[in-house]
Amino acid sequence: MAENIARIREEIEAYSIKAGVFAQGIELVAVSKTIGAERVKEAYDAGQRMFGENRVQEYVEKSGKLPQDAKWNLIGQLQTNKVKYIMENNAFLVHSLDRLSLAEELQKQGEKKNRTTDVLVQLNIAEEQTKSGLLMGEVDAFFEKVTRMDRIRLKGIMTIGPNVSDEPAIRRVFARAKQVYDRLRREVKTFSYLSMGMSHDFGLAILEGSNMVRVGTAIFGKREMSAPLE
Ligand SMILES: *Cc1c(COP(=O)(O)O)cnc(C)c1O
């Protein structure tokens, strides 16, 4: 486990050099969905602090078993009725704000519980039907509404690379996400994360400007249970 994490960190470093950025500026989220708390704790003991989960119940159980300074990222599609749990458990960041009804629930529960949630807006850049996230044409109207919600802190953009083996096609999607990120960052001062890149494509994502990669399989090995992407 420690070796896997060290290897990923070395790869991040190599790609960051190619990209001309500091490796320290790139966050590694270890995607621990479906992985038992004991193995996640091994990653913690190897120095890893950021973890990614896609099921709220699994996140709540695991976060209770790991030390308090682990930082939990919610990377899967969120049902509105689960919002209260992520607030009660101090999630670090929600990567998957993909619709207005979810923003409204984050705002409503945030007012009730006096909590502000850090979120990334998920974009579906390749407009794949199997993926959630805003389409490019919806971005501006969405931001106009959500920037008025004072219980939501907009921290950046998340996207998932397209399901193709064509590297230039993957890079084009990441490059478009970076363009949107840079454009919005001029207006939204709290922007700081561009979350893109998984086990098979995080190098390409870093070359296109990602500063937060979400890596599961390459750290923990193949997952036994099937876990849907969104
Ligand atoms: C599962 C998942 C990952 C990690 O995928 P790996 O291929 O195991 O690295 C990253 N992002 C999201 C949104 C996921 O659902």
Side-chain angles (χ1 to χ4, degrees):
M1 177 82 67
E3 270 170 38
N4 289 352
I5 293 172
R7 195 190 64 245
I8 298 296
R9 290 207 176 275
E10 276 168 28
E11 285 181 37
I12 289 173
E13 172 132 25
Y15 279 106
S16 67
I17 290 168
K18 275 197 209 166
V21 298
F22 288 110
Q24 296 94 309
I26 298 177
E27 293 283 357
L28 171 60
V29 177
V31 175
S32 48
K33 63 190 183 194
T34 77
I35 307 297
E38 306 73 35
R39 300 203 50 231
V40 182
K41 178 66 164 43
E42 283 177 40
Y44 178 94
D45 290 337
Q48 181 63 32
R49 290 295 177 272
M50 288 266 212
F51 297 98
E53 292 285 338
N54 67 341
R55 302 245 158 91
V56 172
Q57 190 177 345
E58 201 184 324
Y59 146 62
V60 169
E61 283 172 21
K62 252 178 249 178
S63 67
K65 291 181 184 160
L66 263 86
Q68 291 281 331
D69 63 340
K71 294 178 179 170
W72 297 91
N73 293 257
L74 272 301
I75 61 174
Q77 193 172 41
L78 261 186
Q79 290 170 264
T80 44
N81 62 4
K82 301 282 166 61
V83 160
K84 51 182 180 290
Y85 302 111
I86 65 160
M87 279 180 195
E88 287 163 4
N89 289 277
N90 286 316
F92 173 72
L93 183 64
V94 172
H95 289 229
S96 43
L97 177 58
D98 59 355
R99 59 195 192 279
L100 200 57
S101 59
L102 178 58
E104 286 164 350
E105 184 66 13
L106 286 163
Q107 174 67 18
K108 189 175 123 195
Q109 293 291 334
E111 285 171 6
K112 218 191 240 177
K113 296 191 188 307
N114 196 24
R115 290 285 318 263
T116 303
T117 307
D118 284 354
V119 305
L120 307 181
V121 174
Q122 183 173 352
L123 301 186
N124 181 2
I125 298 201
E127 312 210 339
E128 291 171 288
Q129 291 198 342
T130 53
K131 289 198 170 89
S132 50
L134 298 185
L135 304 178
M136 294 298 247
E138 300 171 332
V139 170
D140 286 350
F142 186 80
F143 268 82
E144 203 180 306
K145 294 199 182 89
V146 177
T147 44
R148 291 201 210 105
M149 299 183 183
D150 63 350
R151 293 297 169 180
I152 294 177
R153 201 178 291 116
L154 288 162
K155 298 291 284 185
I157 295 291
M158 181 274 241
T159 200
I160 299 175
N163 241 331
V164 296
S165 52
D166 177 16
E167 289 196 357
I170 298 173
R171 288 187 67 156
R172 276 197 296 278
V173 164
F174 289 152
R176 288 187 73 194
K178 169 76 160 121
Q179 280 171 5
V180 176
Y181 175 78
D182 284 343
R183 179 168 65 78
L184 291 167
R185 189 164 58 149
R186 277 182 242 128
E187 284 144 44
V188 189
K189 299 300 172 202
T190 46
F191 255 40
S192 38
Y193 298 120
L194 176 56
S195 167
M196 55 189 195
M198 309 176 15
S199 291
H200 65 285
D201 61 9
F202 71 84
L204 302 178
I206 290 170
L207 293 178
E208 297 298 341
S210 169
N211 65 8
M212 185 175 245
V213 296
R214 311 177 306 269
V215 179
T217 315
I219 293 175
F220 295 105
K222 250 189 145 58
R223 287 177 288 275
E224 289 194 2
M225 282 174 277
S226 69
L229 265 181
E230 283 81 25

